[in-house]
Amino acid sequence: MTTPDHTDVYFTAEFIDGPLAGTAEERVLVRGTHDEKLSEVALVDGIESIFRYFAVDTREVAGKLHVRYTFNEPASDTYTSEDENE
């Protein structure tokens, strides 16, 4: 029995703005396609926040799917510090 090549089930999500700007992560394709919307959890000022992103475009880099995501601020948790001393 051979082991299937699973490299085609992953894509790279690139975050182009918002609190995750400039970061990327490898994600799994679901039913052969990328997510149109993502929810990411991250710590900001020691508080766990949920950030929503949506896909803006796709491209292939070295044979691998890359999807760029933009920040959906109205649907996300507030991530700026509310401490007056900062």
Side-chain angles (χ1 to χ4, degrees), residues 8-82:
D8 61 343
V9 298
Y10 295 101
F11 72 97
T12 300
E14 301 173 356
F15 301 98
I16 59 175
D17 57 2
L20 302 177
T23 64
E25 67 182 29
E26 189 172 59
R27 297 184 63 96
V28 176
L29 294 167
V30 177
R31 293 184 201 97
T33 189
H34 66 277
D35 300 304
E36 286 297 322
K37 298 177 183 178
L38 295 178
S39 295
E40 293 288 316
V41 178
L43 286 176
V44 176
D45 291 338
I47 299 171
E48 200 170 76
S49 300
I50 298 174
F51 304 119
R52 315 261 189 222
Y53 282 81
F54 60 90
V56 292
D57 59 21
T58 64
R59 67 188 191 287
E60 194 171 302
V61 177
K64 185 174 182 181
L65 178 64
H66 285 240
V67 182
R68 293 185 338 134
Y69 288 89
T70 190
F71 184 52
N72 184 347
E73 187 170 6
S76 299
D77 290 343
T78 303
Y79 68 96
T80 56
S81 176
E82 294 181 9

